[in-house]
Amino acid sequence: MLNFIKIKNYALIESSELEFAQGFNVFTGESGAGKSILLGAVDLLLGGRADRGAIRNGCAKAEVSGCFSVPEYLADEVDKLLSPADIPFDINSGELCVRRVITQSSTRNYINDTPVSAKLLSDTGSLLIDRHRAGEQLSLLQTSRQLELLDRYGNLLAERAQCASAARALAELEQEIKSFESTLPDESEADHLSLIVEEIERVNPAPGEDEELAAKHSLASNSQQILSAAGELSARLYDGENSIADQLGAICRQLSDLEKFDEKSISPLVSKCVEMQELASDLAREVTALADHIELDPAEFAALEERMAELHTLKRRYAPSIELLLETLERAKVRLDDFKRASVKRGEFVKRRQELLNQQNEICRTLSKHRKACADALAKELLSRLDMIGFANARIVPEFSETENSSTGCDHFELNFSANPGEALRPLRKIASSGELSRIMLAFKVVLADSDAVPTVIFDEIDMNIGGETANKVGSALKLLSKKRQILSISHLPQVASQADKHFLVKKTVSDGRTYSSVEELSDTRQELDRMIGFIRS
């Protein structure tokens, strides 16, 4: 339930803080006093659109906060919603605090002091409050809405979700088929793909091969220069007269002669010199070995250039690198395989479609059976509740007809209604007045109280277009519903307001040229009820 709401600088409300009863809470006041503003503030807690124009004139920001007590049966579901966002929530206490701050440049949303998105706020709010807006009873004219209410009454929403899942699976398959057909090569493209596969597989390039061949070709093309330099370097290092190796040998001998004077200091120098002589010798051998594998005979060089030309041709035609060439080959093979296996693939699609259609048909038929099994019980309960709110001789008869399978099943469902004796049964969409629809919607709310998990219901003028004894009965129905759900209701009828557990008066005043809306909890409701009746005390 919603325990309290605090509003600051929102529209005409400068500051207001309200604590609600667990049962029936009513808001009354003159037209235009700001009752809808109050419900707009509640809407913000539910993730409703934050309008910067709602910031009170002259103020930098508007702020709305509220605290909920989440019932035990909903705590796990709320926790599953909040846990992925790392929002702290104590399942045992069930306390959930929501705050929204609206400025001219941004809106900030918080659940238990943790920043959240408006969507998460909306998803959470939908679990906690069901708002019945003014005019929403018109949705009862839609047969799709009547079907939804039937499914809620019969606890068939899980089966309805299975229908939606089956319809999605079929739609996804149809999209897959469409994509397959639209990308399937024609014969001309298949011939081209065959040529690509044939040419690339014939050359059979290896990853990195072009780079290796380019390096080898560079060496072979410059072999004479490399061989000449290698010979010169070998002579200077080891083989030639007065080579580096010879000079290092002479230095080693000189240092050895000095060892007898200072062995401790000279011996390491001798070792370093010997090491340098060995390094020079190793370098000379490696330079000589380099020359041994550089020079290619004309036939090998021609083969190298021919291979490079083949790779160059492939890269020029199909891709700029061997890696991309190999990717092109794989894509071409896959598309060519699709072309060759098109008839087989189409057969697979047909089989999958039939399997999904069979599954959908079974799900829809099962749901339809369960709907028909509980439709009469729904009509009976609705009549019982309607009898309490002024329809003593009403009749409701559910009517089914079969439709194509869809995300909601295979049923067209419609309630046929007669308000008075002697009147023929006709669909709700053809006969019901707005007052009748309001009462039928209220009857639905009462009937669905046991199957609905939402702990708080808000009614925005559910009692419009009624009066007299009927208004008394509507008040009684709201009172009855409040035994199982917290009710917040805007009303203009004293018969309804008089049955509330808490009565809030919304007033509009003007002070110093500014307009203010304020909300006051009434401890004594007699004066406000007199105003609503039109009674003036002497």
Side-chain angles (χ1 to χ4, degrees):
M1 59 172 280
L2 178 60
N3 295 319
F4 76 85
I5 186 171
K6 184 176 182 180
I7 307 167
K8 189 173 182 180
N9 298 326
Y10 180 72
L12 297 178
I13 299 177
E14 182 178 44
S15 180
S16 188
E17 185 169 352
L18 308 175
E19 292 188 8
F20 299 114
Q22 185 172 355
F24 183 13
N25 302 267
V26 73
F27 303 89
T28 65
E30 296 284 358
S31 296
K35 298 183 293 298
S36 295
I37 294 174
L38 182 63
L39 292 194
V42 175
D43 255 354
L44 285 177
L45 297 182
L46 307 180
R49 181 175 175 270
D51 185 359
R52 298 169 191 167
I55 301 173
R56 183 169 173 78
N57 286 337
C59 299
K61 65 180 181 180
E63 186 169 337
V64 178
S65 57
C67 188
F68 296 84
S69 292
V70 179
E72 185 178 349
Y73 65 85
L74 267 182
D76 284 339
E77 191 170 354
V78 170
D79 187 52
K80 288 177 183 177
L81 197 60
L82 300 182
S83 290
D86 294 325
I87 298 170
F89 174 64
D90 186 345
I91 292 180
N92 296 319
S93 71
E95 185 175 77
L96 192 72
C97 294
V98 176
R99 182 163 59 98
R100 297 194 80 180
V101 181
I102 308 167
T103 69
Q104 292 296 341
S105 59
S106 66
T107 301
R108 298 188 296 277
N109 318 302
Y110 303 89
I111 295 179
N112 287 348
D113 291 326
T114 303
V116 298
S117 66
K119 182 180 186 309
L120 181 56
L121 199 62
S122 176
D123 291 343
T124 306
S126 66
L127 296 176
L128 302 175
I129 293 183
D130 175 17
R131 179 170 175 184
H132 178 86
R133 293 169 174 81
E136 188 182 337
Q137 68 273 8
L138 295 177
S139 67
L140 276 179
L141 301 181
Q142 302 168 6
T143 55
S144 58
R145 175 65 167 157
Q146 295 174 29
L147 184 63
E148 177 193 347
L149 293 171
L150 172 64
D151 289 341
R152 286 170 62 186
Y153 171 78
N155 293 316
L156 301 174
L157 293 181
E159 291 184 35
R160 184 186 177 107
Q162 289 180 343
C163 282
S165 178
R168 272 195 310 274
L170 274 166
E172 288 168 2
L173 175 61
E174 294 302 330
Q175 185 58 43
E176 184 181 347
I177 295 172
K178 182 179 178 180
S179 176
F180 174 78
E181 295 292 350
S182 66
T183 59
L184 191 67
D186 56 23
E187 288 192 14
S188 176
E189 187 181 355
D191 290 340
H192 180 61
L193 291 169
S194 296
L195 180 62
I196 293 174
V197 172
E198 181 183 342
E199 287 193 4
I200 297 178
E201 287 189 335
R202 177 179 56 78
V203 176
N204 192 26
E209 182 184 2
D210 51 348
E211 296 175 359
E212 294 175 9
L213 291 177
K216 191 173 183 180
H217 184 271
S218 178
L219 287 174
S221 299
N222 298 281
S223 60
Q224 293 304 315
Q225 183 179 346
I226 296 171
L227 288 171
S228 175
E232 182 181 340
L233 289 171
S234 179
R236 291 177 65 184
L237 286 167
Y238 194 81
D239 295 331
E241 185 178 345
N242 199 28
S243 66
I244 291 174
D246 289 343
Q247 293 180 50
L248 287 170
I251 293 170
C252 283
R253 287 191 294 274
Q254 257 186 298
L255 286 171
S256 295
D257 290 343
L258 296 176
E259 273 189 293
K260 57 187 176 182
F261 303 114
D262 187 359
E263 182 178 0
K264 184 177 179 180
S265 299
I266 303 299
S267 182
L269 299 179
V270 172
S271 297
K272 285 184 179 180
C273 189
V274 171
E275 185 180 348
M276 291 173 68
Q277 191 177 19
E278 291 174 351
L279 286 173
S281 177
D282 289 344
L283 183 56
R285 281 195 296 271
E286 289 178 11
V287 169
T288 302
L290 175 66
D292 290 342
H293 71 268
I294 285 176
E295 192 171 20
L296 298 177
D297 64 41
E300 290 178 313
F301 189 73
L304 173 65
E305 290 196 319
E306 182 180 353
R307 180 64 178 172
M308 291 178 67
E310 288 180 326
L311 295 177
H312 176 72
T313 299
L314 286 181
K315 291 196 291 183
R316 178 171 51 80
R317 288 179 179 174
Y318 305 122
S321 69
I322 286 183
E323 286 69 22
L324 293 176
L325 266 177
L326 295 175
E327 290 179 13
T328 299
L329 173 63
E330 288 307 309
R331 285 197 301 271
K333 289 168 72 174
V334 168
R335 286 177 56 73
L336 195 57
D337 185 61
D338 285 343
F339 176 78
K340 293 176 179 178
R341 296 183 66 253
S343 59
V344 174
K345 189 73 172 178
R346 290 188 180 105
E348 292 173 353
F349 283 139
V350 169
K351 182 179 178 182
R352 285 173 56 193
R353 181 192 283 125
Q354 191 57 53
E355 289 174 351
L356 289 176
L357 285 171
N358 290 342
Q359 291 173 12
Q360 183 190 45
N361 195 55
E362 182 178 351
I363 292 169
C364 289
R365 294 296 175 270
T366 300
L367 175 58
S368 180
K369 178 181 177 182
H370 293 161
R371 282 169 170 167
K372 291 170 182 175
C374 67
D376 287 336
L378 170 62
K380 185 176 180 180
E381 285 203 49
L382 284 174
L383 285 174
S384 172
R385 301 307 176 186
L386 287 171
D387 182 57
M388 295 173 55
I389 52 178
F391 287 109
N393 297 296
R395 288 184 296 154
I396 292 181
V397 176
E399 180 182 340
F400 286 89
S401 59
E402 188 171 338
T403 65
E404 291 185 2
N405 293 341
S406 70
S407 60
T408 58
C410 61
D411 294 307
H412 176 272
F413 174 72
E414 188 155 32
L415 290 172
N416 295 303
F417 177 74
S418 171
N420 302 297
E423 290 185 4
L425 286 163
R426 299 178 66 188
L428 281 178
R429 55 190 164 84
K430 291 186 177 180
I431 61 166
S433 68
S434 58
E436 289 172 339
L437 285 174
S438 294
R439 283 182 282 169
I440 293 171
M441 177 61 85
L442 179 57
F444 262 113
K445 294 290 183 181
V446 175
V447 168
L448 293 174
D450 288 328
S451 56
D452 248 346
V454 181
T456 298
V457 181
I458 297 178
F459 290 110
D460 188 350
E461 300 182 354
I462 188 71
D463 51 15
M464 63 187 297
N465 299 323
I466 60 173
E469 180 57 26
T470 299
N472 278 325
K473 293 179 178 180
V474 168
S476 298
L478 288 170
K479 185 71 172 180
L480 176 64
L481 182 57
S482 72
K483 302 298 182 184
K484 297 181 178 180
R485 298 286 181 267
Q486 182 190 41
I487 303 299
L488 278 66
S489 179
I490 288 178
S491 178
H492 290 288
L493 299 179
Q495 299 97 318
V496 172
S498 63
Q499 302 194 52
D501 298 303
K502 267 197 177 185
H503 189 148
F504 297 91
L505 174 62
V506 183
K507 296 188 295 185
K508 184 164 67 175
T509 58
V510 178
S511 176
D512 296 329
R514 298 289 307 272
T515 303
Y516 298 84
S517 281
S518 60
V519 187
E520 172 190 357
E521 180 186 341
L522 300 178
S523 56
D524 185 347
T525 63
R526 287 176 298 176
Q527 185 175 350
E528 172 60 6
L529 292 176
D530 285 347
R531 181 198 67 78
M532 297 174 77
I533 296 170
F535 177 75
I536 300 175
R537 294 180 182 271
S538 58

